[in-house]
Structures are given as C-alpha cells and as structure tokens.
Amino acid sequence: MSSPPSFSSLPIDIVLEILARVPKRFHPTVSCVSKNFRRLLRSPEIHKIRSLLRKDSLFICFVGKTGAQWFTLRRAENNNPTTEKNRFVSIDLAFPSQTEQEPCVVAIGPEIFFICGSFNPSSAMWILDSRTGTFRQGPSSRADRLCRSVGVVGNKVYVIGIYRDADEMHVESFDVKTLTSELAPVPEDQGWWWSSAPTVSWNRKVCALRVSGNARCYDPIDGSCESLGLATKDKWLWRTGACVMNNVLYVYYARFGLMWYDYEMRLWRVVSGLSHLKKVRSVAMAEYYGKLAFLWEDEEVGVSGEMKEVWCRMIALERKEEGVDGMAEASQLLGSVLRGYRFHHCLSVSD
C-alpha cells in the first residue's frame, strides 16, 4: 500500500499559494518545520502572491500636547501595482475613551487593539476594525492596571503591566479567537519591565526596545527574558524605528543606520546597500506589501513655520548567507504635520 503524498511533493507553485495564505504571525512557527519552508517564506515570489491576495495599509499615529493625530498610508486605486504611489490621508479616529491619551496598541490582521492604562490604571480594551473604521469594546482585564508593554504571539495578545496598588508585574493573555483571557508567567527580570517601552513581536516573544538601545525579549511560555543589547559603550544610541519581517528584527539607529539582529550569531549587523539612506533621528517602520516602509520626519527643508514634512522610502530586504541586503526606492513626500507632534505608532494592517 503506497503512502499518501506529502506536502513537499506538491508542485512549487501550489506550495507558494498555500504558504502565502498563512497569517504572518504564524511564520515563525512554520519556519521551524524545515529550512525549505523558511526559505520560501522569505522569497520574493511569495511576497508577490501575498500582494495580490490582500490589501495592506499603515495606520500611523503622531502625538502632541493636544492629543493624537492619525493617518493612513494606502496604495492609490486603479493603478499599476508596480508603479502606483501611496496616499497619506488624515483620518478622524474617534477613540471611545476620552481619558486615555496614549493607549498601548497592537495590530492583528485588519484589527487594531487599544489597551488602556498607559498613564492611569484601566481595565478597558477597545478593538478597531480598520475596514469599517468602527470600534467595539473588548473584554476587560481582571483588574485596573498600568500597561507597560504589549505584543502578539500566535493568536494571543500579551499585556505586561502592573495591577492597581500592586508592586509586582503581571502578564495577561487574550486569545483573539476564543475571546478568553488568562494569566501568563511574569518576566523573570521584573525591574527592567517596570518602565514602558515600544514593543515588537519576534521569534514568538514580546520584545521591548528602549530609546537608549537596550532591548529585552520576554518568552510567554516560562517568563524567561533575553537581552539584545548593542555591544557599545555609547549609552544613548537614539533608537527610533523597529520592525519585524520574515521573523527578522530590524531596528534603526540614528548613528549606525538600519540594522538587523543575527539570532544565530547573537549580534546586531548593519543592513548592506543602504549607505545612501539619509541619517535621521525620528523614524517609523512597518511591513508594507512585503517591503519595509521607512518613514521619517524632516524639519529642515520644505515646509516652514509650524509644520514639518513626512517622507517615506520603500526598502526591499533580501536575506543572504552573508547578511541582509537592502534596496531602497526613491523617496516620496507624504505630507506634513505640526512640528510639536512626533511618531508614536506605525501599524501594519491587512484585509
């Protein structure tokens, strides 16, 4: 009796079509199946298929003294996908909580999760459907808390925070499929997580990155933490943008440029081919149609008075044996914002 055909025996075109439909948050798990799967998930062919299957957009938030201002970045419709420009549009995001100015935010598919409690303890969560622009209330946490970091691993949103009147960390996970929550192991180095920091989800871990260049990755399985610090005596590297693509962590440092973390070597390396990339201090990054959307603020040219310009370059990244190569497209002026505002969130969502 012959054995049933295996997945690897399928034609490569069919394999690519199947893998292209796997949500990005499951790529780290699929990459562990085999080296071939890992290679295919990073291939240009699969990005081309994904770009035809879905519509990507970026939700970009600037914050200032008077509150938050949101924009979307989307491809212009009815144009050739290889040549069309991106539209940077201000949107009126009517966040339901009037008392929460800067909630912790994370995106899964077409939905954006707003976890309240950045400054004042709260148990509230709101979920935005980016397709309709409508909010719905999510499940409340077990008690009012201060949110310090938030990340996504698989189908779960992990919130690292501090319960009201408590002096210890707690971690609560919310399953977006079953709509249930439970407690998770607390980080082993609780003191480091006491202050808030921007986070990304990488290698099935929640990674918090401070402006100074220090980083910690929390494993929700056992609470263990791993340091990803840059080997330098400079305590103020001014890290701004951070992004994960194909399970590779990319960070932009004003001093060194765009870097990636080589997990096998346990060190940071500079992305090659981008020496001409302008050195800037305020950067936001996110995946956009298989490329890295590199956004920056420019206060020195163009707009005068109370406004500053927002620029963008799309960067194609290719992982090779010797490192990661980058190829940047031409810069595009997106628009302008008030000088008193700064990048706060840059979220990649897809239909």
Side-chain angles (χ1 to χ4, degrees), residues 240-305:
T240 51
C243 176
V244 174
M245 291 178 56
N246 298 323
N247 204 36
V248 177
L249 174 60
Y250 296 93
V251 170
Y252 179 81
Y253 291 100
R255 178 177 173 183
F256 301 110
L258 185 62
M259 305 188 73
W260 65 284
Y261 190 76
D262 188 330
Y263 190 74
E264 295 181 356
M265 300 294 293
R266 295 297 197 277
L267 55 82
W268 288 96
R269 303 174 65 182
V270 176
V271 175
S272 60
L274 299 176
S275 58
H276 59 289
L277 200 66
K278 184 175 181 178
K279 299 293 184 181
V280 289
R281 293 179 66 85
S282 185
V283 168
M285 304 191 308
E287 183 176 359
Y288 186 69
Y289 287 103
K291 296 181 180 180
L292 177 70
F294 183 87
L295 290 78
W296 72 94
E297 304 168 358
D298 197 331
E299 302 187 42
E300 299 178 359
V301 298
V303 181
S304 59

Side-chain angles (χ1 to χ4, degrees), residues 99-138:
T99 59
E100 183 67 37
Q101 297 297 321
E102 299 179 20
C104 297
V105 179
V106 69
I108 303 179
E111 295 184 324
I112 301 176
F113 295 76
F114 294 76
I115 296 91
C116 299
S118 293
F119 296 105
N120 300 308
S122 174
S123 61
M125 174 194 292
W126 293 90
I127 304 172
L128 172 70
D129 187 330
S130 65
R131 297 161 296 189
T132 62
T134 57
F135 279 93
R136 71 178 187 275
Q137 191 159 15

